[in-house]
């Protein structure tokens, strides 16, 4: 299985008319390129191209004999430029939108001489970038699986990202504070209440839930940069695939929501499905049942695997 980081150098003018030379990095897993159907995985906000293998963040879904079987498929994942996994950072992050990232990924595919994909799959921000890609290139993929995301950022999510932006622009532990706030949006009140049940740590003199939040804030600070987080939050804040292009997408679409998602509510994703279903036949809707909210797409693997197994 190939897992080393590979690079494509791309000259790109953003929609904001800024020129960049981007070292677009990616990883390949499974079968040799062009020897089998290609699955493009778009990573989420703090994810990266390392989707499979021992340290792969989606290894419960992608790997040998997994639902996305690396014995059967070639799995490709680009790093969103500026996510820092390849040490490339972007100072002026507001130069970029998800539309730009979609353009860069499409250019990467073109340079790799990949004309067709079997599947595009992505959760959260990654799925949003998938929507942007297919709105621009409707014949690109046979199957599209956006998970816990929509084709645009709605007002509630935009507002939460705005709070994140305020926290990230602060001077006192900005990344840790932003992550703590984000964790409360990724999960639900029931998820936290059921898990911690007001248990108090006498030694640390605080609630165990508080300790858990602080741990997640510090853990992200150790593996992620402030510049990267600002960029990724900005992208999540600005997903906006052209709605009038969505019905032109040729891929069989399988939208997967989480019934308790606070970021991308199931009702919004269902609304998108119902609108497209009026104009297209090959559109389907699936729903993960979970108390855990948005993060269920990284937790409820039995449900997710069953859904995707039936799609593929």
């Amino acid at each position: 299985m190939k897992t080393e980081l590979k690079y494509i150098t791309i000259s790109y003018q953003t929609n904001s008319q800024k020129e960049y030379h981007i070292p677009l990095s990616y990883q390949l897993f499974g079968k040799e390129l062009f020897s089998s159907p290609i699955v493009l995985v778009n990573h989420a906000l703090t994810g990266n191209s390392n989707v499979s293998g021992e340290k792969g963040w989606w290894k419960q879904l992608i790997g040998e004999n997994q639902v996305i079987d690396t014995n059967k498929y070639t799995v490709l994942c680009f790093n969103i430029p500026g996510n820092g996994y390849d040490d490339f950072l972007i100072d002026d992050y507001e130069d970029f939108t998800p539309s730009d990232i979609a353009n860069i990924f499409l250019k990467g595919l073109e340079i790799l001489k990949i004309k067709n994909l079997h599947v595009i799959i992505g959760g959260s921000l990654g799925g949003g970038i998938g929507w942007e890609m297919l709105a621009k290139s409707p014949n690109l993929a046979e199957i599209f699986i956006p998970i816990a995301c929509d084709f645009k950022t709605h007002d509630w999510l935009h507002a939460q990202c705005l709070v994140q932006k305020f926290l990230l622009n602060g001077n006192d532990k900005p990344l840790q504070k932003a992550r703590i706030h984000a964790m409360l949006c990724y999960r639900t009140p029931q998820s936290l209440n059921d898990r911690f049940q007001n248990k108090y740590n006498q030694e640390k003199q605080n609630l165990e839930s508080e300790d858990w939040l602080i741990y997640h804030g510090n853990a992200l600070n150790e593996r992620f940069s402030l510049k990267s987080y600002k960029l990724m939050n900005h992208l999540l804040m600005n997903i906006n695939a052209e709605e009038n292009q969505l019905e032109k997408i040729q891929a069989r679409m399988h939208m997967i929501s989480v019934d308790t998602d606070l970021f991308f509510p199931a009702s919004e994703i269902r609304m998108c499905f119902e609108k497209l279903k009026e104009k297209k036949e090959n559109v389907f809707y699936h729903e993960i049942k979970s108390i855990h909210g948005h993060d269920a797409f990284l937790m409820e693997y039995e449900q997710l695997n069953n859904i995707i197994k039936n799609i593929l």
Side-chain angles (χ1 to χ4, degrees), residues 40-308:
L40 177 68
V41 180
N42 288 346
H43 70 77
L45 192 138
T46 60
N48 52 54
S49 60
N50 195 31
V51 296
S52 186
E54 185 182 347
K55 295 184 178 178
W57 59 267
W58 234 1
K59 64 184 178 182
Q60 292 94 333
L61 189 72
I62 302 167
E64 292 187 5
N65 303 315
Q66 298 283 21
V67 172
I68 298 177
D69 190 349
T70 48
N71 293 320
K72 181 179 177 182
Y73 299 111
T74 303
V75 177
L76 165 65
C77 185
F78 293 116
N79 283 298
I80 293 176
N83 77 340
Y85 188 64
D86 52 11
D87 298 322
F88 176 66
L89 298 171
I90 293 170
D91 291 322
D92 298 322
Y93 65 89
E94 291 187 346
D95 287 350
F96 290 83
T97 65
S99 173
D100 289 303
I101 305 303
N103 286 334
I104 291 164
F105 283 6
L106 290 169
K107 201 162 186 178
L109 292 174
E110 185 182 334
I111 291 168
L112 290 172
K113 296 183 167 52
I114 297 171
K115 294 180 180 177
N116 298 103
L117 297 166
H118 181 52
V119 180
I120 297 178
I121 184 170
S124 193
L125 173 60
I129 291 167
W131 277 113
E132 298 264 9
M133 292 177 74
L134 287 168
K136 298 171 187 294
S137 183
N139 298 308
L140 179 62
E142 295 170 37
I143 302 169
F144 178 41
I145 309 174
I147 307 170
C149 69
D150 205 351
F151 71 94
K152 69 185 295 182
T153 302
H154 294 284
D155 295 288
W156 170 261
L157 176 54
H158 190 277
Q160 299 308 317
C161 291
L162 184 63
V163 174
Q164 290 275 291
K165 185 175 182 178
F166 292 154
L167 292 168
L168 290 166
N169 286 333
N171 295 319
D172 180 27
K173 297 185 177 180
L175 199 150
Q176 292 97 318
K177 288 180 176 178
R179 184 62 167 180
I180 287 170
H181 167 256
M183 290 303 296
L184 297 176
C185 299
Y186 298 153
R187 304 294 173 90
T188 65
Q190 186 183 357
S191 179
L192 260 69
N193 291 342
D194 282 10
R195 176 171 179 172
F196 296 106
Q197 299 182 23
N198 278 90
K199 289 175 184 171
Y200 193 79
N201 188 315
Q202 291 292 345
E203 186 181 336
K204 295 184 178 179
Q205 293 288 294
N206 63 13
L207 287 169
E208 288 185 7
S209 56
E210 182 180 338
D211 204 39
W212 179 80
L213 287 167
I214 291 168
Y215 165 79
H216 276 284
N218 291 336
L220 187 71
N221 191 54
E222 289 172 7
R223 73 174 179 88
F224 217 72
S225 77
L226 181 59
K227 283 183 181 178
S228 297
Y229 200 113
K230 284 182 175 181
L231 167 69
M232 304 301 278
N233 180 64
H234 173 73
L235 294 176
L236 185 61
M237 195 174 185
N238 288 285
I239 300 166
N240 191 24
E242 288 188 46
E243 189 169 2
N244 61 1
Q245 296 298 308
L246 302 186
E247 63 187 82
K248 298 177 183 177
I249 295 172
Q250 295 302 301
R252 173 161 49 91
M253 290 189 273
H254 290 267
M255 303 176 203
I256 304 176
S257 72
V258 179
D259 64 340
T260 54
D261 196 334
L262 299 177
F263 260 15
F264 289 98
S267 58
E268 296 284 359
I269 296 171
R270 203 179 303 114
M271 193 183 304
C272 174
F273 159 72
E274 287 168 356
K275 282 184 180 177
L276 282 174
K277 191 67 179 170
E278 292 175 2
K279 299 171 182 176
K280 296 172 61 63
E281 290 185 359
N282 58 344
V283 186
F284 304 89
Y285 176 81
H286 314 266
E287 195 166 289
I288 294 169
K289 308 293 184 185
S290 175
I291 67 167
H292 297 302
H294 185 67
D295 263 3
F297 85 92
L298 298 169
M299 299 170 72
E300 303 283 3
Y301 281 108
E302 187 176 347
Q303 290 187 62
L304 185 58
N305 285 340
N306 285 336
I307 291 169
I308 292 174

Side-chain angles (χ1 to χ4, degrees), residues 4-8 24-28 76-78 112:
E4 69 268 20
L5 214 53
K6 298 173 179 287
Y7 291 86
I8 307 166
L24 178 62
S25 63
Y26 65 96
Q27 284 175 266
L28 289 168
L76 165 65
C77 185
F78 293 116
L112 290 172

